[in-house]
């Protein structure tokens, strides 16, 4: 009975999406030309043909981006294990790698360790897949500084979460992202995670930021609110990318028009 109800819900959700929400451009493009979606497939094609890597763009934000763990040994970062994890992910077709997100122990890593890890990892990745670096904190100046540093070290995107603990208002969230975007020059992925930030960034605020800040190109949505996710897809400006931040609801979010996931389970 429960399984039957689930399938009825999914069928209804699919019908709602097809009726009320725009189909993402990349899905239309893939359906027209029959190509396999995802950067990994394009990268494999380029490798076989000897072509150059694709220029970085928000169109590359699709598929499965692994939120890579940071391995430790004897009280420090295990760089040998980190290199093996990077190679494992690329060999097995990840569409991108996220460094120093929550899963990457960003809150437990010192500033000198952080820069050393990024230098090592970005050099090993060597432009084979896009690199996202977590740079968000609840301190505006520190967030701006780390975001600039990620850009200098070769990151393709900065992942910045809603300021945690201080519980800003929706206007405060808007001002925070607008200030970071105006003082940096790297594409930004917003990260909405109610459980850690203590406050939800609403669909209206997300869309407002996306329209006001040209370098805010995507959101990692981890609010667990499917209706809110659908509203973002419906109202966001053309080209704005929605990525799932909650593996448990990846399928319904894809049904709503999300282009991919920043995945913890992608580590295995």
């Amino acid at each position: 009975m429960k399984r039957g109800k689930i399938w009825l819900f999914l069928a209804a959700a699919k019908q709602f999406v097809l009726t009320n929400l725009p189909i993402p451009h990349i899905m239309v493009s893939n359906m027209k030309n029959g190509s396999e979606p995802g950067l990994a497939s394009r990268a494999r094609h380029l490798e076989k043909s000897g072509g150059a890597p694709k220029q970085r763009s928000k169109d590359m934000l699709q598929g499965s981006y692994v939120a890579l763990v940071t391995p430790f040994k004897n009280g420090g970062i295990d760089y040998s294990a980190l290199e093996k994890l990077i190679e494992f992910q690329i060999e097995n077709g990840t569409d991108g790698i996220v460094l120093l997100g929550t899963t990457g122990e960003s809150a437990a890593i010192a500033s000198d360790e952080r820069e050393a890890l990024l230098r090592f990892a970005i050099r090993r990745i060597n432009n084979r897949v896009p690199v996202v670096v977590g740079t968000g904190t609840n301190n505006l100046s520190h967030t701006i500084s780390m975001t600039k540093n990620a850009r200098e070290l070769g990151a393709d995107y900065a992942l910045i979460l809603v300021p945690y603990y201080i519980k800003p208002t929706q206007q405060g969230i808007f001002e925070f992202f607008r200030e970071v975007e105006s003082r940096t020059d790297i594409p930004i992925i917003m990260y909405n995670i109610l459980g850690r930030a203590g406050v939800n960034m609403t669909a209206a605020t997300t869309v407002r930021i996306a329209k006001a800040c040209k370098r805010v190109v995507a959101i990692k949505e981890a609010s667990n609110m499917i209706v809110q996710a659908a509203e973002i897809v419906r109202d966001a400006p053309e080209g704005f990318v929605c990525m799932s931040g909650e593996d448990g609801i990846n399928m319904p979010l894809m049904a709503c028009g999300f282009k991919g996931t920043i995945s913890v389970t992608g580590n295995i």
Side-chain angles (χ1 to χ4, degrees):
M1 179 65 68
K2 289 184 178 179
R3 181 176 296 179
K5 289 182 179 179
I6 290 172
W7 282 112
L8 284 172
F9 167 76
L10 291 175
K14 179 180 179 182
Q15 184 60 41
F16 171 80
V17 171
L18 293 175
T19 304
N20 297 281
L21 297 178
I23 299 175
H25 173 74
I26 189 66
M27 292 176 64
V28 175
S29 176
N30 286 331
M31 285 188 286
K32 286 181 177 179
N33 60 30
S35 64
E36 178 187 355
L39 173 63
S41 61
R42 295 197 298 273
R44 287 192 288 271
H45 172 75
L46 287 169
E47 184 178 1
K48 291 177 182 177
S49 63
K54 182 178 176 66
Q55 185 179 356
R56 298 293 186 238
S57 75
K58 59 191 174 185
D59 290 336
M60 299 178 74
L61 281 173
Q62 57 179 300
S64 176
Y65 275 52
V66 60
L68 197 69
V69 299
T70 299
F72 290 87
K73 186 177 182 180
N74 299 325
I77 296 170
D78 187 343
Y79 286 99
S80 176
L82 178 60
E83 182 172 17
K84 291 177 182 177
L85 290 174
I86 290 170
E87 293 305 319
F88 172 83
Q89 288 295 331
I90 293 175
E91 288 172 7
N92 285 278
T94 188
D95 289 301
I97 292 177
V98 179
L99 301 170
L100 296 179
T102 305
T103 308
E105 307 285 355
S106 57
I109 293 180
S111 298
D112 57 340
E113 289 180 313
R114 176 186 177 84
E115 181 155 346
L117 183 149
L118 290 178
R119 287 186 183 279
F120 178 89
I122 292 173
R123 185 165 60 248
R124 291 301 187 279
I125 294 168
N126 193 28
N127 290 313
R128 288 178 289 174
V129 294
V131 175
V132 180
V133 173
T135 64
T137 73
N138 61 359
N139 180 291
L140 177 61
S141 296
H142 194 200
T143 298
I144 291 170
S145 176
M146 291 205 302
T147 303
K148 288 180 176 179
N149 181 249
R151 178 64 156 177
E152 291 167 0
L153 294 175
D156 297 297
Y157 303 94
L159 178 66
I160 301 177
L161 78 169
V162 173
Y164 49 84
Y165 186 73
I166 57 177
K167 294 186 177 180
T169 63
Q170 296 301 308
Q171 181 63 27
I173 294 171
F174 173 81
E175 296 290 348
F176 179 86
F177 279 104
R178 183 168 66 173
E179 188 69 12
V180 174
E181 189 266 353
S182 69
R183 294 171 60 182
T184 58
D185 63 352
I186 185 173
I188 292 170
I189 303 170
M190 296 184 289
Y191 185 9
N192 184 35
I193 180 162
L194 170 61
R196 295 187 184 275
V199 63
N200 175 54
M201 179 167 61
T202 65
T205 299
T206 300
V207 171
R208 183 185 176 200
I209 295 169
K211 290 179 177 180
C213 304
K214 64 179 181 180
R215 278 188 299 277
V216 175
V217 299
I219 184 169
K220 176 184 177 183
E221 175 60 39
S223 67
N224 262 327
M225 302 178 189
I226 296 177
V227 172
Q228 174 169 298
E231 290 173 346
I232 296 170
V233 173
R234 182 192 65 197
D235 298 335
E238 183 178 357
F240 185 77
V241 177
C242 295
M243 302 283 281
S244 169
E246 178 52 67
D247 285 324
I249 56 172
N250 280 345
M251 187 167 67
L253 290 181
M254 299 305 157
C256 289
F258 276 45
K259 288 190 175 182
T261 177
I262 294 178
S263 175
V264 176
T265 58
N267 279 282
I268 56 174

